[in-house]
Amino acid sequence: MALLLCHSSKGGTGNTFVAAHLALALVEQGADVTLLSTAAMDSLPLHFGLPPSTRLPGFNAGADRAVVASGISLRNDPRAPADPDFAATLRDLGFLDSADRVLVLDVAAGDLGLARALLPLARVHVCTLLAAPESLSLLPDYLDIEHGCWADHSVVAINKLDETRKLTRHTAAFLRELLGARLVGRVRRDEAVPEALASLQYLSRYAPASAALADVAALARAVAPMLERPTLAEQIVPGRSWVA
């Protein structure tokens, strides 16, 4: 599988929303997608119209325990952040073998160590940010190659963007200037998103004309071609660290 890593510098940015809707958009483009969350308190089922009591199987669970929604195999493994062999196990189980399939991996913001371990295996890393001071304050450390989670294949999506707010508008403009081509999408704030979650419905069914839905579809179109490029691990020169 081609690994699409979704990890943000801060919780509450809507990382799971972005991961879920990237997976949905990739399926619509014909990809074979598995979506794995590593959060202990997992909200992933809500984005697929499933009740919060739904328990998703681990990434190595058999097909008989599969939970499939819209053609996507949904999985959850909260033990992953504490498992030093998680990345190696993904490879051993064949999750990283084929570029014809996609593994979208939603890693909680607090699990920086896991995100860093997976970064060289990912074909693209999507970082979801808010156009807000909290996100900006964490960016210098997050963009630091030695201590953060940033590489040549890292890109940014701004979520919950409300450009009617002066500070938000100016912050978004600063991010565009700072990140340049690394800023690959923005998703507008849309009340239909929480309303769909509360109604246990897909956003596409609850509000087909949703601005956020259109934006995340555009984000997926920007991200999809990036899944064709080689991973950092495939580019490593023998004897050279990927963070060099």
Side-chain angles (χ1 to χ4, degrees):
M1 290 186 176
L3 174 58
L4 195 169
L5 173 63
C6 294
H7 179 264
S8 178
S9 58
K10 184 183 182 302
T13 62
N15 193 65
T16 298
F17 165 81
V18 169
H21 285 82
L22 282 176
L24 285 164
L26 289 170
V27 164
E28 289 182 0
Q29 295 175 26
D32 180 355
V33 179
T34 296
L35 175 53
L36 170 63
S37 168
T38 63
M41 300 296 180
D42 190 22
S43 63
L44 186 61
L46 294 178
H47 295 280
F48 294 87
L50 300 171
S53 58
T54 303
R55 293 292 177 263
L56 301 179
F59 75 95
N60 58 352
D64 57 318
R65 296 180 53 200
V67 174
V68 179
S70 294
I72 301 169
S73 176
L74 304 178
R75 295 174 180 263
N76 172 250
D77 201 315
R79 297 169 298 177
D83 182 358
D85 298 320
F86 179 71
T89 304
L90 280 179
R91 184 189 283 114
D92 292 345
L93 291 175
F95 275 78
L96 307 176
D97 286 346
S98 172
D100 297 329
R101 302 167 65 199
V102 180
L103 173 62
V104 180
L105 192 43
D106 173 23
V107 176
D111 295 327
L112 179 61
L114 176 61
R116 281 181 56 81
L118 294 168
L119 189 61
L121 301 177
R123 296 186 184 274
V124 59
H125 160 222
V126 177
C127 173
T128 305
L129 296 180
L130 301 181
E134 308 94 280
S135 286
L136 283 183
S137 67
L138 297 173
L139 266 185
D141 287 339
Y142 194 73
L143 270 58
D144 183 86
I145 294 177
E146 294 292 338
H147 306 291
C149 187
W150 197 252
D152 288 344
H153 59 303
S154 297
V155 296
V156 168
I158 299 176
N159 193 28
K160 304 178 185 179
L161 182 60
D162 181 0
E163 291 193 317
T164 67
R165 304 286 183 176
K166 183 178 180 180
L167 179 58
T168 300
R169 188 167 62 249
H170 288 181
T171 304
F174 174 75
L175 285 170
R176 283 193 291 269
E177 182 179 350
L178 174 68
L179 296 167
R182 298 271 198 149
L183 183 58
V184 294
R186 92 287 187 261
V187 181
R188 286 165 285 181
R189 180 179 291 277
D190 187 346
E191 286 302 309
V193 174
E195 289 170 358
L197 294 177
S199 302
L200 293 182
Q201 294 187 50
Y202 284 89
L203 179 59
S204 58
R205 293 175 185 169
Y206 180 82
S210 162
L213 189 64
D215 291 342
V216 81
L219 173 62
R221 290 193 294 272
V223 168
M226 302 176 190
L227 292 170
E228 301 298 325
R229 58 194 184 187
T231 68
L232 281 174
E234 293 167 342
Q235 299 177 57
I236 286 178
V237 176
R240 179 183 177 188
S241 167
W242 69 269
V243 297

